[in-house]
């Protein structure tokens, strides 16, 4: 089973971060919480198993002082969804860019940078994608108060 | 290896920048593409997004689950019900709401009708982009009947907000069922007619065949889904691979074409219309009695803490929602994964070395809806 292979490959990187999840309740099969410096290794592992990149999503955990980045992967041959997540400190959120492995991540990371101000180290072109080109605000940060006027 | 490799120019000469859009008839919305041109050939293409960005994800965070119901339809206005479906599925999964079978059948019937209307509009507009005006009028003739049917049950003609958490807004009646059956019969005769009128046309074939080759590996690296992926020979359809709602009750094929060119993507959509007809007919035959919405769905939903993911197959590919709940009556985070966003992201790579006129054919074959990309 693909999900066992994915779990084993991710457990080799972070044994304690990998969980099997209840697909019916959660909508994904494998959940891997990795450290920021393990992101590239984890994404390379799912890339090696033939997963495609579904989505990259930011979450602002204001109370915990952390920024989370959630990567969703799915597979075309078998029903298997893998979630890789990582957390960076909120005052200096920097996560390695995976656009070298999945070029499709380029836009997703630009969008996440727009909305959360998370920097993706090694991204080739980290300029606003959806926000105006001179935007210096991050509207999905929980402490964003809105613009004047 | 791209079939276009033999025409790829050397880029030794002087280049110039050409703006395609943001107001251009072939972009069907406010999309701008910055093209670095070497004569008639594209040296570099850069889609510029955000002209119709409305921050739906922020709206999701500052209103309750029910208040967000009309929003998904404003993202992809051409297959609004798929988005409606994705949203209610996600919230139902998070809150653990059971949906009665009749409601799921009604959802499938209306969503598939909406898929046909979306593909019909794409078909007409695409051929129009390529210079043929007449097919658009034929397609709109069919689509008009569909919109009448959907208006009968949903009350809207375009931006439907018909599904509710735990069911649908109102029941379908005999008139709708009879009208839908009649439409399915009509469509079965119309699609072969479209093939005779358009598909076999030599100009269309010359414009689409071997143009805009996308490999399965490119699709995987960019996360392309829907007819774009199936036109590259990969059999992946969320309705089949991860059956949600009641899709496993129906027999239908996932049309795939392995050529990977614009013609393959065209054919996938044409075949899909007939497959949707099959699903609708089976759903009408098997339509169960019973309630059309769940009882005792609380007015104010407070899903338990945690995150869920839910994906559905929209007309353009996989629409996914990543929902993070903190136990209150508004989502903590509502991430909307839209298919055209990923499908367009491969355009820069695919259009390199193409003729400008072919780039229009490629962009049309991706079936873009800009408000859904920008959200």
């Amino acid at each position: 089973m693909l999900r066992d292979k994915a779990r084993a490959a991710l457990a080799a990187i972070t044994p304690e971060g990998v969980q099997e999840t209840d697909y019916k309740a959660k909508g994904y099969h494998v959940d891997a919480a990795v450290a920021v410096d393990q992101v590239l290794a984890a994404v390379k592992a799912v890339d090696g198993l033939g997963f495609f990149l579904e989505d990259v999503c930011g979450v602002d955990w204001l109370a915990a002082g952390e920024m989370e980045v959630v990567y969703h992967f799915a597979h075309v041959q078998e029903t298997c969804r893998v979630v890789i997540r990582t957390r960076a400190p909120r005052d200096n959120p920097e996560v390695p860019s995976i656009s070298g492995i999945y070029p499709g991540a380029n836009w997703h990371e630009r969008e996440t940078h727009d909305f959360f101000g998370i920097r993706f180290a090694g991204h080739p072109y980290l300029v606003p994608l959806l926000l105006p080109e001179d935007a210096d605000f991050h509207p999905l940060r929980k402490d964003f108060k809105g613009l004047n006027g | 290896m791209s079939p276009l490799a033999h025409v790829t120019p050397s880029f030794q000469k002087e280049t110039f920048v050409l703006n395609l859009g943001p107001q251009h008839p072939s972009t069907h919305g406010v999309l701008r593409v910055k093209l670095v041109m070497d004569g008639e050939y594209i040296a570099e293409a850069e889609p510029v997004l955000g002209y119709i960005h409305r921050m739906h994800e922020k709206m999701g965070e500052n209103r309750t689950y029910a208040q967000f119901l009309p929003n998904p339809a404003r993202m992809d206005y051409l297959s609004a019900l798929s988005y409606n479906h994705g949203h209610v599925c996600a919230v139902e999964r998070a809150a653990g709401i059971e949906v009665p079978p009749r409601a799921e059948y009604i959802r499938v019937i209306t969503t598939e009708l909406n898929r046909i209307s979306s593909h019909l509009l794409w078909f007409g507009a695409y051929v129009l982009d390529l210079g043929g005006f007449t097919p658009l009028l034929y397609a709109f003739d069919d689509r008009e009947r569909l919109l009448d049917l959907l208006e009968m049950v949903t009350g809207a003609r375009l931006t439907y907000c018909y599904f509710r958490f735990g069911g649908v807004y109102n029941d379908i009646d005999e008139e709708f069922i009879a009208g839908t059956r009649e439409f399915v019969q009509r469509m079965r005769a119309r699609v072969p007619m479209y093939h005779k009128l358009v598909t076999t046309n030599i100009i269309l074939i010359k414009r689409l065949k071997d143009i805009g080759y996308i490999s399965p590996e490119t699709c995987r690296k960019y996360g392309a889904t829907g007819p774009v992926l199936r036109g590259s020979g990969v059999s992946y359809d969320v309705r089949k691979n991860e059956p949600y709602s009641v899709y496993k009750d129906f027999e239908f094929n996932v049309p795939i074409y392995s050529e990977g060119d614009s013609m393959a993507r065209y054919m996938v959509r044409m075949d899909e219309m007939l497959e949707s007809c099959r699903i609708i007919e089976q759903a009408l035959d098997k339509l169960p009695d019973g309630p059309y919405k769940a009882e005792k769905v609380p007015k104010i939903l407070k899903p338990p803490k945690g995150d869920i993911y839910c994906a559905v197959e929209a007309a353009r590919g996989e629409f996914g929602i990543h929902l993070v709940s903190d136990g209150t009556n508004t989502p903590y985070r509502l991430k909307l994964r839209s298919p055209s966003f990923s499908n367009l992201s491969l355009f820069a790579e695919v259009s390199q070395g193409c003729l400008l006129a072919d780039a229009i054919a490629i962009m049309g074959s991706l079936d873009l809806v800009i408000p859904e990309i920008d959200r």
Side-chain angles (χ1 to χ4, degrees), chain A residues 19-132:
Chain A
Q19 278 177 29
E20 183 170 2
T21 47
D22 174 16
Y23 169 74
K24 243 187 128 43
K26 289 291 216 176
Y28 47 83
H29 301 89
V30 180
D31 184 352
V34 302
V36 169
D37 54 2
Q38 292 170 324
V39 168
L40 287 178
V43 172
K44 269 184 196 135
V46 290
D47 180 38
L49 291 170
F51 282 84
F52 73 84
L53 175 71
E54 170 118 351
D55 198 12
V56 178
C57 164
V59 186
D60 179 10
W61 296 102
L62 183 63
E66 286 174 323
M67 284 281 182
E68 187 179 25
V69 182
V70 187
Y71 305 87
H72 288 273
F73 296 92
H75 206 280
V76 295
Q77 274 151 10
E78 230 178 89
T79 312
C80 182
R81 289 190 183 276
V82 173
V83 171
I84 295 174
R85 57 182 87 221
T86 189
R87 287 190 182 210
R90 202 169 176 281
D91 48 19
N92 183 29
E94 190 166 289
V95 175
S97 168
I98 62 161
S99 59
I101 306 164
Y102 285 96
N106 187 315
W107 282 14
H108 288 297
E109 287 176 348
R110 278 172 71 187
E111 181 190 313
T112 311
H113 175 254
D114 280 8
F115 295 166
F116 293 93
I118 298 170
R119 282 190 315 281
F120 290 90
H123 191 287
Y125 191 53
L126 202 60
V127 299
L129 178 74
L130 295 174
L131 294 184

Side-chain angles (χ1 to χ4, degrees), chain A residues 23-29 31 46-63 68 70 72 74-79 81 83 85 101-105 107-108 110-112 115-116 125 127 129-131 133 139-142 144, chain B residues 32 34 46-51 53 55 57-58 61 93-94 217 219-225 229 234-236 238 240-243 305-311 318-320 322 324-326 331-333 335-337 340-342 344-345 349 373-375:
Chain A
Y23 169 74
K24 243 187 128 43
K26 289 291 216 176
Y28 47 83
H29 301 89
D31 184 352
V46 290
D47 180 38
L49 291 170
F51 282 84
F52 73 84
L53 175 71
E54 170 118 351
D55 198 12
V56 178
C57 164
V59 186
D60 179 10
W61 296 102
L62 183 63
E68 187 179 25
V70 187
H72 288 273
H75 206 280
V76 295
Q77 274 151 10
E78 230 178 89
T79 312
R81 289 190 183 276
V83 171
R85 57 182 87 221
I101 306 164
Y102 285 96
W107 282 14
H108 288 297
R110 278 172 71 187
E111 181 190 313
T112 311
F115 295 166
F116 293 93
Y125 191 53
V127 299
L129 178 74
L130 295 174
L131 294 184
E133 53 201 12
L140 283 183
R141 284 193 171 201
K142 288 287 174 187
F144 175 68
Chain B
R32 175 177 164 219
K34 225 159 86 183
E46 189 204 331
V48 182
L49 310 182
Y51 286 91
H53 173 58
M55 203 77 242
E57 291 174 8
K58 185 78 177 176
E61 285 178 18
R93 177 173 274 164
E217 183 62 8
C219 288
R220 184 176 84 79
K221 290 285 185 182
Y222 283 92
T225 48
L229 179 62
V234 180
S235 173
Y236 178 76
V238 187
K240 258 298 194 240
N241 290 49
E242 202 180 336
K305 274 186 189 177
D307 66 350
I308 63 107
Y309 193 78
C310 185
E318 188 169 346
F319 169 58
H322 176 78
V324 184
S325 172
D326 58 352
Y332 189 76
R333 172 86 169 101
K335 169 77 205 221
L336 306 160
R337 188 263 185 211
S340 292
F341 183 88
S342 300
L344 178 65
S345 67
E349 190 179 309
I373 298 172
D374 287 353
R375 286 157 288 142

Side-chain angles (χ1 to χ4, degrees), chain B residues 8-25:
Chain B
T8 306
S10 60
F11 306 131
Q12 295 297 314
K13 295 183 202 109
E14 200 180 328
T15 57
F16 64 97
V17 176
L18 182 73
N19 250 315
L20 183 69
Q23 271 84 29
H24 188 277

